[in-house]
């Protein structure tokens, strides 16, 4: 309590203790905590390095990881932000020099004569902060060494008088508080001058150091060991030159830059899509501010001043060979350059270089400023953004032309295929239709043959029946003749005399009457079985015999009004076949045959 609340004042050989105000006590408390934290951090780093590092004589190389300060720009910026941004300026300067050196070395290795004439350098900003003899840090240290109370307005006037010649220095006239503006590579930052001198002093009261040295805690004893010169009193300790914050920070940064200059650095830029650490959320403004703070935008400007795009000959030919017509040797190079090989041979490299130069010449022949757009090195093609845009447009045009050719060939092939398919379909249809017609005609011929055979067989059966009927009729006529002769003979004996024999007409009339009577009970195609119809038929036959002189008896004739008693008329019968080349088929072309059973009765008009 005494060490935190009382301040020791030395006047000559006398030492006085003065009580501190409440604000001063809080400041001494925070100072104690910061001192312990700083010593603890250094002790942790030293312990870790000692545990993982061997003796310095046993190794010559190392791998170091540096977490770079992020560029800071808030509403209220003070000494802390100035130091952090100063470190970023130094690291950006180192990165630019390293990047430019690497670019120049690559250009020299590729036999390219090129130098970055104009690019933005932050050398003026670095000189404004740490330069000699006058800079922001030097003025702050000088203000701390003066044994007087700091005045922000007075310090601002000193900044303006001594630093106004630098283009990176300025002032915010709309801000009422004393301030100054520094134009960093990532943007302008407004720094508040008030309390900056006090923060730069950062005094550690000797009472607190003695308190920590006298502690009984083992860890604090390691962090704050007893000084060798214990006889040095507090007054002598207070007369030692004070080391300011910016001086310590500058010294630490210089040691870091020495290590970076002696090593081969590799840079990794980390960008947060959003400050809320949410997935699938991309905020453009925040990302752009980080790109500017990390120096990516400045690096892009520097890269754009030269040839930012470098492509190997093999990749360049593979991508942009479509721009030119067929070049002799490309097909052979494709076969020779297998993926399993380590790389092209010198002869193949020369051929690839010639092909690449040919492609570039064909594209650059239409441009005026072609010397600064593309260059061919020994193993790569160096291109600018404008040249890449031209090459991509030419490649897209070539692809469009190839696509049009492929479409034309495909459409022609498809039309030819459809025409061949249509022709084949028509041929198949014709063959099928001819086959169906042939089968139909064969079927009709077969049916006609069956009908013909059936008709011939039926005709033969009718002729056989007619022949049998004629034989029966002859026998019956003979029997009747004999019976008539017998009757005549008997009548002569009974005194019946006949002056004349039977005439032919009587015989014919008797035969017709007998024929009608014998056939009357059963009439074909009518199916009459009742007695009434039978009597009607008998009377009709008698009526025909009575009026014989008014009818004519003829053989089978094909006149209008034919009536058949016994059988159907025989003769030529014509059949009509549908969808057949044979319009008519004459089944019975023979001559007409007559018989007694084919009696046709035609009425005489």
């Amino acid at each position: 309590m005494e060490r935190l609340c009382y301040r020791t004042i030395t006047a000559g050989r006398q030492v006085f203790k003065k009580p501190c105000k409440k604000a001063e006590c809080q400041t001494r408390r925070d100072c104690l905590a910061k001192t312990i934290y700083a010593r603890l951090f250094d002790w942790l780093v030293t312990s870790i390095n000692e545990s993982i590092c061997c003796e310095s004589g046993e190794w010559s190389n190392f791998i170091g990881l540096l977490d770079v300060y992020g560029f800071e720009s808030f509403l209220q910026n003070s000494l802390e932000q100035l130091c952090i941004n100063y470190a970023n300026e130094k690291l950006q300067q180192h990165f630019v020099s390293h990047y430019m050196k690497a670019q120049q070395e690559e250009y020299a290795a590729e036999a390219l004569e090129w130098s970055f004439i104009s690019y933005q350098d932050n050398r003026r900003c670095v000189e404004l902060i740490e330069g000699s003899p006058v800079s922001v840090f030097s003025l702050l240290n000088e203000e701390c060494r003066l044994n007087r109370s700091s005045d922000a307005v007075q310090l601002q006037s000193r900044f303006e008088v001594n630093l106004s010649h630098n283009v990176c220095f300025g002032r915010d006239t709309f801000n009422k508080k004393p301030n100054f503006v520094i134009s960093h590579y990532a943007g302008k930052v407004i720094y508040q001058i008030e309390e900056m001198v006090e923060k730069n002093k950062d005094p550690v009261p000797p009472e607190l150091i003695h308190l920590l040295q006298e502690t009984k805690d083992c860890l604090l004893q390691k962090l704050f060991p007893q000084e060798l010169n214990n006889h040095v009193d507090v007054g002598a300790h207070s007369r030692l030159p004070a080391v300011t914050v910016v001086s310590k920070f500058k010294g630490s940064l210089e040691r870091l830059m020495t290590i970076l200059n002696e090593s081969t650095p590799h840079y990794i830029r980390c960008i947060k899509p959003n400050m809320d650490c949410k997935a699938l959320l991309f905020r453009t403004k925040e990302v752009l501010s980080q790109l500017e703070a990390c120096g990516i935008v400045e690096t892009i400007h520097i890269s754009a001043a030269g040839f930012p795009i470098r492509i190997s000959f093999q990749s360049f030919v593979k991508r942009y060979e479509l721009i030119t017509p067929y070049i002799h040797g490309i097909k052979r190079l494709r076969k020779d350059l297998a993926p399993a090989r380590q790389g092209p041979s010198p002869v193949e490299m020369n051929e690839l270089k010639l092909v690449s130069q040919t492609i570039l010449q064909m594209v650059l022949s239409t441009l005026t400023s072609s010397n600064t757009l593309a260059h061919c090195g020994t193993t790569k093609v160096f291109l600018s953004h404008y040249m890449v845009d031209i090459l991509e447009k030419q490649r897209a045009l070539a692809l469009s032309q190839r696509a049009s050719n492929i479409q034309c060939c495909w459409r022609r092939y498809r039309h030819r295929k459809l025409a061949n398919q249509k022709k084949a379909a028509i041929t198949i249809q014709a063959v099928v239709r001819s086959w169906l017609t042939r089968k139909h005609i064969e079927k009709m011929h077969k049916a006609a043959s069956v009908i013909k055979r059936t008709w011939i067989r039926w005709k033969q059966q009718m002729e056989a029946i007619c022949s049998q009927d004629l034989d029966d009729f002859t026998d019956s006529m003979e029997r009747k003749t004999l019976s008539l002769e017998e009757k005549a003979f008997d009548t002569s004996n009974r005194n019946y005399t006949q002056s004349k024999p039977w005439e032919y007409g009587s015989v014919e009339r008797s035969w017709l009457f007998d024929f009608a009577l014998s056939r009357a009970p059963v009439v074909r195609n009518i199916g009459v079985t009742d007695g009434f119809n039978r009597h009607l038929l008998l009377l009709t036959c008698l009526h025909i015999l009575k009026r014989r002189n008014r009818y004519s008896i003829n053989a089978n004739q094909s006149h209008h009004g034919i009536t058949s008693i016994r059988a159907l008329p025989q003769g030529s019968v014509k059949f009509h076949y549908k969808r057949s080349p044979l319009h008519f088929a004459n089944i019975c072309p023979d001559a007409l045959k007559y018989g007694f059973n084919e009696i046709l009765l035609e009425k005489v008009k």
Side-chain angles (χ1 to χ4, degrees), residues 410-451:
W410 168 249
R411 289 169 182 170
R412 183 165 55 251
Y413 165 75
R414 187 176 62 182
H415 284 299
R416 288 179 180 175
K417 185 177 180 181
L418 291 176
N420 294 333
Q421 289 179 352
K422 186 176 180 180
K423 184 178 179 180
I426 293 173
T427 304
I428 293 171
Q429 290 177 358
V431 172
V432 171
R433 288 172 181 172
S434 62
W435 180 80
L436 291 175
T437 304
R438 193 181 300 110
K439 289 297 181 181
H440 182 71
I441 292 174
E442 291 177 359
K443 185 177 181 180
M444 291 296 102
H445 277 290
K446 185 176 180 181
S449 301
V450 172
I451 294 173

Side-chain angles (χ1 to χ4, degrees), residues 444-570:
M444 291 296 102
H445 277 290
K446 185 176 180 181
S449 301
V450 172
I451 294 173
K452 184 177 179 180
R453 289 195 302 269
T454 304
W455 169 256
I456 293 173
R457 186 167 54 252
W458 181 81
K459 182 179 178 182
Q460 291 175 355
Q461 291 177 359
M462 292 299 103
E463 289 178 353
I465 293 172
C466 292
S467 299
Q468 185 178 1
D469 290 344
L470 289 176
D471 294 339
D472 295 341
F473 176 74
T474 304
D475 295 340
S476 62
M477 289 297 293
E478 291 177 357
R479 287 194 301 269
K480 285 185 180 182
T481 304
L482 291 177
S483 62
L484 289 174
E485 291 178 356
E486 290 176 358
K487 287 183 181 181
F489 179 76
D490 292 337
T491 53
S492 62
N493 293 332
R494 294 178 184 178
N495 297 320
Y496 292 100
T497 58
Q498 182 70 25
S499 59
K500 297 181 180 180
W502 287 76
E503 296 180 359
Y504 179 77
S506 300
V507 173
E508 182 181 353
R509 189 184 313 112
S510 175
W511 168 78
L512 183 60
F513 180 74
D514 292 340
F515 183 78
L517 291 179
S518 63
R519 294 293 185 263
V522 179
V523 180
R524 294 185 180 183
N525 298 330
I526 298 177
V528 179
T529 54
D530 54 337
F532 178 74
N533 290 328
R534 177 180 173 84
H535 292 302
L536 289 177
L537 293 173
L538 290 174
L539 292 175
T540 302
C541 292
L542 294 175
H543 183 68
I544 291 171
L545 293 175
K546 183 179 178 179
R547 302 176 62 181
R548 178 177 176 277
N549 55 349
R550 303 177 67 176
Y551 290 85
S552 62
I553 302 173
N554 297 320
N556 186 15
Q557 297 178 1
S558 59
H559 295 291
H560 180 72
I562 296 175
T563 303
S564 176
I565 297 176
R566 172 65 181 177
L568 294 176
Q570 297 180 1

Side-chain angles (χ1 to χ4, degrees), residues 157-176:
S157 63
R158 291 188 66 187
F159 283 155
E160 292 177 357
V161 170
N162 295 284
L163 304 175
S164 59
H165 63 277
N166 196 310
V167 295
C168 296
F169 183 84
R171 176 190 174 189
D172 186 10
T173 57
F174 297 98
N175 194 344
K176 297 180 180 180

Side-chain angles (χ1 to χ4, degrees), residues 118-136:
S118 60
Y119 65 93
Q120 187 176 359
D121 189 8
N122 63 340
R123 180 177 55 83
R124 289 181 177 273
C125 184
V126 174
E127 290 179 354
L128 174 64
I129 298 174
E130 67 165 7
S132 179
V134 181
S135 63
V136 175

